[in-house]
Structure formats: C-alpha cells, structure tokens
Amino acid sequence: MTGKITFRVPLALADEFKQKKGKEIKDHIKTNPMYENSISWVGDRLRIEAHAAKGLFADACNSVAEHLKTIFTEDQVKDVPTILMVGGFSESPMLQDVIKRTMPDKTIIIPADPGLAVLKGAVIFGHDPSVIQERRCRYTYGVKICLPFNEHIHPESKKFVDDDDNILCSDIFDRHVQIGQPVEYGESQVTQSYVPTSKSAKAMVFPVYASDQPEPTFVTDQSCTHLGNLTFELGGSGTARAVNVQMTFSGTELKVEAEEKSTGKKKNAKFDFLG
C-alpha cells in the first residue's frame, strides 16, 4: 500500500493516556519528529502513512531473515534450495518481500493458507507419523550411569566403591543421541550395554535425561532435564548381568527399550515429547 492506513482505536485509550501523561495523544504525536507528519489522530481513528506502518514490522521481519541466514550457514542445510513459508506471520506481504530479497538464490513457496498449513500438517502427522521420515534431535538424550573414577576429571563428591571394590564415579551422562543428529522414524540409533554395580541388585533403573548441550558430562549439569525412569527386573545375581539399552524415536515419543543379554527378556518405556 502507498496511502494512509486507518485503525479504529477505543476512546478509552485516549482517556487513559491523557490521565497518565496529562496531554492528548494527538498532541503527543506532534512532539515526535519521526511521526509528526506520518501519523494523525482524528476522533477515535489513528491514521498512519504506509511507510510508518511498515516500519512497525521491520525489526520482526529482519530478525526472521537474519535467523534464516544463520541457519543456512550450517553444513546440514546450506545446499537446501527451497524455503517453505508457513504459519500466520508468513501471510504478511512485508515478511514475504524481505525473505525474497534476503534469499534471492532460494525458491520461496507460500501455500494458499500459510496459517492453516501448520494445523493441517499436525493433523496429518497425528494420523500417520511415518510421513516425516527423518528429524533432527532438538536435544541430546542419554541415561545416567557410573564409570571408573578418574581423579583428574571427576569431582571427589561423585566417587564411590561398588560391590566388586571398583572405584566409580556416579551421575555420568551416557549419550545415546546428540542434539542436531538426524534420526529416522521408528529406528533405534545406538545400543549400549550396562551392568549393575551391586551383586544383590534385583533391578536396574535407567534414568533418562535430555540436555540442550551436545556433550554434557553429568546428569546434574544445569542443562540436563530428567525425563523419567525405565526400571528393569533382573534375574540371577552378581555384577556381570548385562542389559542392552536402546532408544527409538517415533513421532512425538521417545521409546527406551532394555533387553537382558542372557535371557532375551525385554522391557520398554515411552516418554512423551509433548508432555
């Protein structure tokens, strides 16, 4: 648009402004050189020149463009040729213009109803999660374990001795998948083997954690969040009873499965990403 844009504003706003500032809004506007000739207040209507109205959205549009430029510097997406604009803000011609000017080498696709595209996608995904074959991890996922104590890197406060007189360090974050790592729908990423630290243990508890850091050291780090536990009942005795643990990403859930090596017995737990 090139002409003036008119907004209807409740008179209560003008009254409230006068009460707090001691002057009329229309008089206050005239004191600002930036808006003196581009904004006027008539009755209950605010009339704004098109260039001034566009300026209200400049920071938001430029921030989106800069964020996209940052994303396209990453190796995983630097060769992606197409941008699909969805969501309510994508309906803005101003945002569309900024993105097209900022990304002249990209093909810009804008659906007929950008605001509804997200909702439609969510409905389709809810009915058939396999429509998204691969996703990138938003967090680093792992379980809490113990490792041999290293006095050079482990704090003394986490040191303890197990039933076999091994000196161990507690609260270690054992990573299964890393933030930004591609994971396929319904596929397990890695299988880790664990053994109990107590000979008389009747069960092993696998506390599952998420972190927004690529390589957290301890589950007690500030970046870590406890998602829940998977408790696995053990047979026999001793500390050589190995249990394999693997994580599978399926839609909005993280599935953690444990399997006892000697018996093949399995148990799993699910953690809802939307919870």
Side-chain angles (χ1 to χ4, degrees):
M1 295 177 64
T2 56
K4 286 188 175 182
I5 301 164
T6 301
F7 296 93
R8 187 165 186 168
V9 183
L11 288 174
L13 176 61
D15 295 338
E16 184 75 10
F17 186 90
K18 185 176 182 180
Q19 181 181 344
K20 288 185 177 293
K21 301 294 184 179
K23 55 183 174 181
E24 302 282 352
I25 288 183
K26 61 182 179 181
D27 296 328
H28 179 66
I29 292 172
K30 293 177 182 178
T31 64
N32 191 323
M34 184 183 299
Y35 300 121
E36 181 180 4
N37 298 319
S38 57
I39 298 179
S40 59
W41 183 287
V42 182
D44 63 345
R45 287 174 171 79
L46 190 66
R47 291 178 57 76
I48 304 178
E49 294 283 358
H51 71 87
K54 291 175 182 177
L56 299 174
F57 297 90
D59 285 347
C61 292
N62 292 333
S63 293
V64 172
E66 288 301 316
H67 183 59
L68 277 175
K69 288 170 64 177
T70 300
I71 290 175
F72 280 115
T73 61
E74 299 180 8
D75 291 338
Q76 302 97 320
V77 295
K78 65 180 181 181
D79 296 325
V80 172
T82 305
I83 295 175
L84 177 63
M85 295 183 64
V86 297
F89 195 20
S90 291
E91 296 179 10
S92 167
M94 286 177 286
L95 177 62
Q96 295 172 10
D97 180 61
V98 170
I99 298 302
K100 289 175 182 177
R101 286 189 287 106
T102 306
M103 304 284 174
D105 59 328
K106 305 292 184 184
T107 300
I108 312 296
I109 298 176
I110 307 168
D113 294 306
L116 286 177
V118 177
L119 176 61
K120 291 177 180 177
V123 172
I124 293 171
F125 180 66
H127 283 283
D128 182 13
S130 66
V131 295
I132 297 180
Q133 289 296 313
E134 184 180 278
R135 67 198 309 167
R136 291 193 177 272
C137 287
R138 187 177 181 182
Y139 298 102
T140 298
Y141 295 96
V143 298
K144 182 174 77 170
I145 65 166
C146 304
L147 287 180
F149 185 82
N150 185 333
E151 61 182 7
H152 300 294
I153 60 175
H154 296 150
E156 194 72 20
S157 60
K158 296 187 180 297
K159 179 177 168 181
F160 76 100
V161 180
D162 71 1
D163 287 358
D164 290 330
D165 294 328
N166 297 310
I167 302 176
L168 303 175
C169 178
S170 63
D171 295 333
I172 297 290
F173 189 110
D174 189 40
R175 189 184 72 205
H176 277 239
V177 289
Q178 192 173 41
I179 186 172
Q181 177 181 336
V183 292
E184 293 187 15
Y185 169 78
E187 296 291 329
S188 60
Q189 307 309 309
V190 65
T191 300
Q192 305 278 39
S193 185
Y194 305 103
V195 294
T197 57
S198 172
K199 293 179 180 179
S200 59
K202 301 299 183 184
M204 287 181 69
V205 179
F206 297 99
V208 181
Y209 284 82
S211 172
D212 59 8
Q213 297 300 311
E215 296 184 2
T217 304
F218 301 106
V219 298
T220 52
D221 292 351
Q222 191 173 2
S223 69
C224 296
T225 301
H226 182 220
L227 300 179
N229 297 329
L230 170 59
T231 301
F232 189 87
E233 303 295 331
L234 293 171
S237 61
T239 55
R241 296 168 289 168
V243 175
N244 292 333
V245 175
Q246 63 182 19
M247 294 185 181
T248 302
F249 290 80
S250 299
T252 58
E253 290 181 330
L254 167 64
K255 179 182 176 183
V256 182
E257 183 179 85
E259 178 183 4
E260 192 169 25
K261 269 188 175 182
S262 61
T263 64
K265 183 178 70 172
K266 295 182 180 181
K267 185 175 182 180
N268 62 66
K270 293 180 180 180
F271 302 96
D272 189 350
F273 292 154
L274 303 180

